[in-house]
Amino acid sequence: MAKKTTAASPGSVLVIGLGRFGGAVADSLVRLGHEVLAIDEDAALVQSWANRLTHVVQADSTNSDTLTRLGVADFEKAVVGIGTDIEASLMTVLALSELRVPDIWAKALSAKHGRLLERTGAHHVIYPEAAMGERVAHLVTGQMIDFIEFDDGFAIVKTRAPRESLNKTLAESALRSKYGVTVVGVKRPKTDFTYARPETIIQPGDLLIVSGATPLVEQFAALE
């Protein structure tokens, strides 16, 4: 039977499901300095994570009484990373919603699963496979070194500086007025990242951090 854990401290996060996705989220949160309470039904997974996370518990996350005993209602943020068991995923989100956890993130396996999660109480639905597929497609087909897209059609990319900008200041190349994107910063080989200014000179080999509407950023990153 699950025992109540120590009350959640500010910044602590609940992670349910320690498969590939949930485990990666939990591990990253710990490295970022957050306390994590992780829950999984699989005893072997719980044992394998016991020495890496703040608290790891073997429990049935679909049971509201169990979650109450674990102090889940004290957490402000929860991530549901349950994999192929859609029913368990939905029941867990419902249980968290009933306990009024204010910020629930849940992994979806499909668009239909995502809609059900939202109706059940998830505040944010994550499609990790789709997001990774799109990201890889951008990296494979363009000049991009990295790509992050947000829900509102806004993106940030790291890309090689186009030829037309080399040996000019950002003011002289006028990239923003030509392409509708903002150069946020410049990363030069063997030097620290610097925030972009109008007088910043772009040199061969520079990488640019660029933000803007996704289609405009994609067009900019395709420049030679």
Side-chain angles (χ1 to χ4, degrees):
M1 180 180 294
K3 298 180 180 179
K4 190 178 189 304
T5 63
T6 305
S9 59
S12 56
V13 181
L14 171 70
V15 177
I16 298 178
L18 284 172
R20 186 167 52 184
F21 173 77
V25 171
D27 189 46
S28 296
L29 286 166
V30 168
R31 286 190 287 104
L32 290 169
H34 298 275
E35 291 191 4
V36 171
L37 167 61
I39 300 173
D40 200 290
E41 274 199 304
D42 189 318
L45 273 177
V46 168
Q47 182 63 35
S48 69
W49 283 98
N51 295 324
R52 290 185 276 174
L53 303 177
T54 319
H55 305 285
V56 189
V57 179
Q58 181 186 2
D60 177 7
S61 63
T62 67
N63 189 307
S64 295
D65 292 337
T66 298
L67 296 183
T68 299
R69 287 195 294 273
L70 290 170
V72 162
D74 296 333
F75 286 78
E76 293 186 358
K77 296 180 181 295
V79 178
V80 179
I82 294 174
T84 56
D85 191 338
I86 292 179
E87 182 180 357
S89 166
L90 294 172
M91 293 296 291
T92 296
V93 168
L94 178 60
L96 294 174
S97 181
E98 290 175 343
L99 291 172
R100 299 186 178 181
V101 175
D103 197 16
I104 302 170
W105 297 69
K107 171 188 174 181
L109 302 176
S110 66
K112 183 178 180 180
H113 183 200
R115 289 193 296 272
L116 291 172
L117 287 168
E118 289 174 343
R119 292 172 186 170
T120 307
H123 304 101
H124 309 275
V125 175
I126 309 155
Y127 300 89
E129 287 83 3
M132 181 56 69
E134 182 177 0
R135 181 172 177 268
V136 170
H138 278 91
L139 302 185
V140 167
T141 59
Q143 296 281 87
M144 298 182 194
I145 308 299
D146 208 347
F147 172 85
I148 301 173
E149 185 175 23
F150 300 89
D151 291 339
D152 58 357
F154 180 88
I156 298 176
V157 303
K158 178 165 64 173
T159 185
R160 297 176 181 85
R163 189 177 297 113
E164 68 180 84
S165 68
L166 301 181
N167 302 313
K168 298 177 183 176
T169 67
L170 286 173
E172 290 170 339
S173 60
L175 298 177
R176 184 170 186 173
S177 61
K178 286 182 182 178
Y179 301 105
V181 299
T182 300
V183 178
V184 178
V186 178
K187 179 63 177 74
R188 189 156 293 152
K190 299 182 180 180
T191 65
D192 293 334
F193 171 89
T194 58
Y195 288 99
R197 300 176 180 276
E199 64 272 17
T200 300
I201 298 174
I202 305 302
Q203 299 180 1
D206 283 355
L207 297 178
L208 307 183
I209 311 301
V210 179
S211 66
T214 301
L216 297 179
V217 165
E218 291 172 336
Q219 292 169 20
F220 180 79
L223 297 173
E224 294 292 339

